[in-house]
Each structure stands twice: as C-alpha cells, then as structure tokens.
C-alpha cells in the first residue's frame, strides 16, 4: 500500500472518530493526532487536505478544544496557507476560512466556554450549526430510504457531485443528513440530487416559531439544475476504500474505547510517516 493511501486511510479514520462528540477531547489531548492533522493540511493530495479540514472542524465544535487548537504549532499558519493557495478548491478554502474564524475568536468568550464546554462535547454531532460564516448556511434533510450503509454511500455520492456543498454528516438513526452549503446554493438542489437516486427522497427539516420542527417536502416540479463539483477529487470507490466501516465510527455512541486504541496506532503512523 502506498504512503499516500496510508495517509488517506489515517485521515479518514481520524475524521470519522472526530465526528463522535465523545472522542473530540481525547483526540485533541493526544500528543500525536492534532499535530498530525496539521501536517495533513499541507499534503499534496487535495482529498487528504479536505478530509483533514473536516476532522479539524469537528474538533472545533467542542469549545473546550479551541484554545489548545489555536495554540498548536502550525495550526493557524496552515489554515492560512490553504486559504491562500491558488490550487485549493473553492469549498476547501471556504471550510478553512470558517475554521480559522472560529479558532481566531477563541479566548474572547472564556466565560461562555466554561459554562458550555461540557454540553458542547456531549451533544449529538451537529456539523457547522453556527453562523460564523455568512457565506455558508446549514440545511437539515430528512431522507426516506436512508436505511443502511449502501444507501448512505449512494447519498454521499449524490451530494459530493453538487458544487457548493461544503460538508455533511449523517444521523442514521433518525434518517437525517446535516449539510453545510454555500449561501447561494438552493436547498432544492440537495433534494433534486437525493431524489435522483430513485431509491431515496428528501424533505427539508425547518424550525417553527414555537421551537418545533416541520418537514417540508420538495415540490416535484421544483427540480433545479445541479452544477456538478469538479474541484474536489473523487473519493475512493467503496470496494477499494480502506475506510469501509466509517458509518459505525460516525454513528456509534460510546465509541471512545475502541477509538483510543486506534488513536495510538494513528499516532505511531503520524510519527514515522510524514516525509512528503
């Protein structure tokens, strides 16, 4: 297996572990994983860089992590490099910018951090629910037919093809997908992409004035032209992917015990393998 495939394997596993709020503090406290993610931000493979950014953004969801992440050697500089690099895809730059803004503001909300740290690290995985970046917005989808890893992979492929999708995470138990998109992308484009699979249909979940939720179906005649995303390289096919069990890593509650053993393995890889 090549060094580049090994790097992709490691960063994808770290990303999936970081998706579980129970793992986020341990990953940041580990002596090898956070420095390793920073090194991944300078990797020549854009897919590795993008996956590393997703992992860092998950970790930044925990307020208690932000000061340490900001102070970690090379973190802010590497994010700036990604933002300024002419070869970085647009969605990659936008994601790096959002992380940079979150970490840059760390320390200015110390009183709020102390109160919210525990709750922030334990709540369910909600990806990019803040309003730090006005160029992006969050859309919550309820997807009928999202029943198993195969359907999830099909859904991933449909979303990855849309230009303007920054990131997404699945809540398989409730058949939902939280999608972060550019502010100029219509939510209907997501519905059109999901519905095009022919085996799943999507509805948008919106908040009501009284704090409840309402599921709004996309109109059948509201199909919009979906602009395909060609900037981000294709993900590995499922049969070739070294991270076939990522669904379990993302959705399993209490995966920290299994994860810590893997973190040790990852740290050893990070220590010996960064030579690009």
């Amino acid at each position: 297996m090549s060094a580049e495939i090994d790097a992709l394997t490691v960063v994808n596993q770290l990303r999936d572990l970081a998706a579980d709020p129970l793992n986020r503090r341990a990953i940041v406290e580990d002596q090898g994983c956070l420095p390793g993610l920073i090194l991944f931000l300078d990797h020549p493979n854009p897919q590795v860089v993008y996956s590393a950014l997703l992992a860092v953004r998950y970790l930044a969801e925990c307020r208690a992590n932000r000061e340490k992440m900001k102070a970690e050697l090379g973190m802010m500089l590497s994010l700036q490099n990604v933002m300024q690099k002419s070869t970085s895809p647009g969605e990659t730059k936008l994601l790096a910018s959002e992380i940079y803004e979150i970490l840059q503001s760390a320390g200015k909300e110390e009183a709020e951090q102390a109160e919210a740290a525990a709750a922030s690290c334990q709540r369910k995985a909600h990806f990019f629910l803040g309003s730090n970046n006005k160029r992006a917005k969050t859309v919550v989808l309820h997807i009928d037919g999202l029943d198993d890893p195969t359907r999830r992979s099909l859904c991933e492929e449909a979303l990855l093809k849309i230009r303007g999708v920054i990131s997404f995470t699945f809540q398989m138990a409730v058949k939902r997908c939280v999608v972060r998109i550019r502010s100029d992308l219509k939510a209907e484009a997501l519905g059109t992409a999901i519905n095009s699979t022919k085996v799943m249909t999507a509805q948008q979940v919106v908040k009501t004035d009284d704090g409840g939720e309402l599921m709004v179906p996309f109109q059948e005649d509201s199909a919009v032209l979906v602009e395909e995303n060609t900037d981000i390289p294709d993900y590995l096919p499922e049969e070739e992917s070294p991270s076939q069990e990522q669904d379990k890593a993302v959705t399993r509650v209490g995966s920290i015990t299994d994860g810590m053993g893997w973190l040790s393995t990852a740290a050893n890889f990070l220590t010996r393998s960064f030579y690009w």
Side-chain angles (χ1 to χ4, degrees), residues 34 56 59-60 65-72 75 103:
L34 190 58
V56 173
L59 298 176
N65 283 342
R66 294 177 186 174
E67 280 281 7
K68 181 175 177 60
M69 293 174 66
K70 179 182 178 181
E72 190 70 34
M75 173 66 79
L103 297 185

Side-chain angles (χ1 to χ4, degrees), residues 18 24 28 54-66 69 98-99 102-103 120 123 128:
R24 292 172 187 167
V28 170
L54 291 177
V56 173
R57 183 57 178 85
Y58 274 128
L59 298 176
E61 279 289 296
C62 180
R63 289 178 180 272
N65 283 342
R66 294 177 186 174
M69 293 174 66
E98 187 159 294
I99 297 169
I102 290 173
L103 297 185
S120 174
R123 68 176 181 262
F128 297 161

Side-chain angles (χ1 to χ4, degrees), residues 107-267:
K108 299 178 183 178
E109 307 169 345
E110 293 180 359
E112 183 181 352
Q113 285 182 7
E115 180 179 346
S120 174
C121 293
Q122 296 298 327
R123 68 176 181 262
K124 285 185 177 181
H126 287 278
F127 205 59
F128 297 161
L129 296 186
S131 57
N132 303 72
N133 198 320
K134 295 181 179 179
R135 293 173 293 173
K137 60 185 179 183
T138 298
V139 176
V140 180
L141 301 176
H142 178 85
I143 304 175
D144 291 317
L146 186 62
D147 301 321
D148 54 47
T150 300
R151 294 283 179 89
R152 170 183 163 147
S153 296
L154 195 60
C155 188
E156 287 178 347
E157 292 174 5
L159 292 174
L160 284 169
K161 291 178 181 178
I162 305 175
R163 179 179 294 277
V165 169
I166 303 170
S167 59
F168 49 83
T169 189
F170 292 92
Q171 299 169 354
M172 296 293 290
V174 290
K175 300 184 180 182
R176 289 191 178 182
C177 182
V178 182
V179 191
R180 190 68 170 169
I181 62 177
R182 292 172 59 125
S183 58
D184 58 351
L185 179 64
K186 293 182 178 180
E188 287 80 0
L190 306 178
T192 298
I194 299 300
N195 295 344
S196 69
T197 64
K198 306 299 184 183
V199 293
M200 292 178 285
T201 57
Q203 301 178 77
Q204 185 174 359
V205 181
V206 297
K207 289 287 186 180
T208 59
D209 293 337
D210 60 1
E213 291 183 346
L214 179 67
M215 285 193 285
V216 181
F218 295 106
Q219 299 297 324
E220 293 185 5
D221 58 352
S222 65
V224 297
L225 180 63
V226 177
E227 185 179 359
E228 288 201 3
N229 185 8
T230 57
D231 288 337
I232 300 175
D234 292 337
Y235 277 65
L236 291 177
E238 188 69 21
E239 64 271 18
E240 298 177 10
S241 173
S243 184
Q244 293 182 19
E245 297 298 320
Q246 61 176 295
D247 179 71
K248 294 181 181 178
V250 173
T251 61
R252 183 176 55 207
V253 176
S255 61
I256 189 167
T257 302
D258 296 334
M260 291 311 95
W262 193 91
L263 284 177
S264 176
T265 301

Side-chain angles (χ1 to χ4, degrees), residues 38 41-42 69-70 72-84 100 103-104:
I38 293 172
L41 296 179
D42 294 322
M69 293 174 66
K70 179 182 178 181
E72 190 70 34
L73 181 65
M75 173 66 79
M76 303 303 281
L77 180 60
S78 293
L79 290 171
Q80 285 181 316
N81 288 341
V82 174
M83 293 156 53
Q84 297 169 1
Y100 185 89
L103 297 185
Q104 189 68 17

